[in-house]
Amino acid sequence: MPAPDVVARRPDQMASAKAKGQRGADTELLQSVQQLLRPAAAEGDLLGLFPAPFAAYAKDGLAARIAFKHAEQLTPAERDGVWALFEANMAAVYEADAQKWQPRAKRRELFHDDARYFLMTDEQGELLAFTHFRFEVEENLLEAEELAAAALPRYSPVLYCYELQAAPPARRKGVGRRLMQLLELVALKFKLHAVLLTVQRSNGGAHAFYGRLGYKQHPSCPERNGFEDFEGIDPGHRIMWKDLRR
């Protein structure tokens, strides 16, 4: 019986095969994390998952109701209210951080199909505050040793808080804290790893607020390595998170 052929692969062939194997493993991992997010993304009434008192808020003379909506469910008046509050609060902040104010791009982001909202309104239905959030796969763009040091997987199922905005009458009355607590409860309900958010560099008040709530700089924040990933240029934002893994 003749001896079987033995094919010796060149180092470049072996490296290519290893890379393909790694890509395959990464794809499987990504798909498994995406699967974890589907129940949260499909939920039609996140607020209904919690006791009725969570839909009401009262403090220091403020009486408000909280509602949950997918972006596509927002009425024209609600969309206008969300945009007006965001523009009033953030246009100057973007300009202070030397970031181009792009209203059309921000509108697309705010009202994307994946956007979810908790809206807080007063007794007359006027918008007091809102949080825009999404359920996302966070790709932790770190080297293997950095991932190990931070105890992070390559992909994490997270709730990403895109916006938290409050109108002047609702400030310093615990409104932001209540909405962030709701986001954290939702993330815990669906066993997500964390709540992530991005804060503009010049927004010192937001940095302090999130710090008081226990949020810290994310291991992948651009600031971590002197903005090396951005060719040494500060992109004008910081990534913060609260790790909810138990």
Side-chain angles (χ1 to χ4, degrees), residues 94-225:
Y94 274 76
E95 292 167 0
D97 286 335
Q99 292 192 2
K100 187 176 181 180
W101 174 243
Q102 298 178 306
R104 291 180 65 182
K106 289 305 297 185
R107 279 183 179 274
R108 286 196 299 270
E109 180 182 280
L110 281 168
F111 305 121
H112 190 278
D113 288 347
D114 292 338
R116 303 290 185 268
Y117 282 86
F118 283 127
L119 305 171
M120 183 178 284
T121 56
D122 65 16
E123 294 173 320
Q124 288 72 47
E126 292 295 318
L127 184 64
L128 295 171
F130 73 86
T131 178
H132 157 209
F133 60 99
R134 304 187 195 184
F135 301 107
E136 296 189 341
V137 176
E138 178 69 8
E139 182 177 4
N140 297 303
L141 297 174
L142 299 166
E143 299 295 335
E145 57 271 20
E146 292 178 298
L147 288 172
L152 283 172
R154 173 60 65 192
Y155 301 106
S156 299
V158 305
L159 185 155
Y160 211 111
C161 176
Y162 275 64
E163 301 293 342
L164 176 65
Q165 304 293 341
R171 292 174 189 166
R172 301 187 181 281
K173 294 186 178 182
V175 165
R177 180 182 291 271
R178 166 57 70 87
L179 291 175
M180 291 305 298
Q181 287 173 339
L182 272 175
L183 296 189
E184 291 168 19
L185 286 171
V186 169
L188 287 168
K189 183 76 174 179
F190 289 97
K191 297 181 172 57
L192 306 185
H193 288 188
V195 173
L196 267 73
L197 53 92
T198 301
V199 182
Q200 294 302 118
R201 173 186 57 198
S202 65
N203 198 344
H207 283 269
F209 167 74
Y210 291 117
R212 289 194 296 272
L213 296 186
Y215 285 77
K216 300 178 181 178
Q217 180 172 291
H218 191 267
S220 69
C221 182
E223 194 176 29
R224 78 185 193 282
N225 57 8

Side-chain angles (χ1 to χ4, degrees), residues 83-92 101 165 171:
W83 175 253
L85 181 52
F86 173 78
E87 185 177 35
N89 286 356
M90 296 302 296
W101 174 243
Q165 304 293 341
R171 292 174 189 166

Side-chain angles (χ1 to χ4, degrees), residues 10-42:
R10 298 190 309 272
D12 61 332
Q13 291 176 315
M14 290 189 287
S16 176
K18 183 177 180 181
K20 287 181 181 178
Q22 183 60 50
R23 286 195 296 271
D26 285 349
T27 298
E28 289 182 7
L29 178 59
L30 175 59
Q31 290 174 342
S32 69
V33 175
Q34 289 171 332
Q35 185 69 27
L36 292 174
L37 292 171
R38 284 177 184 147

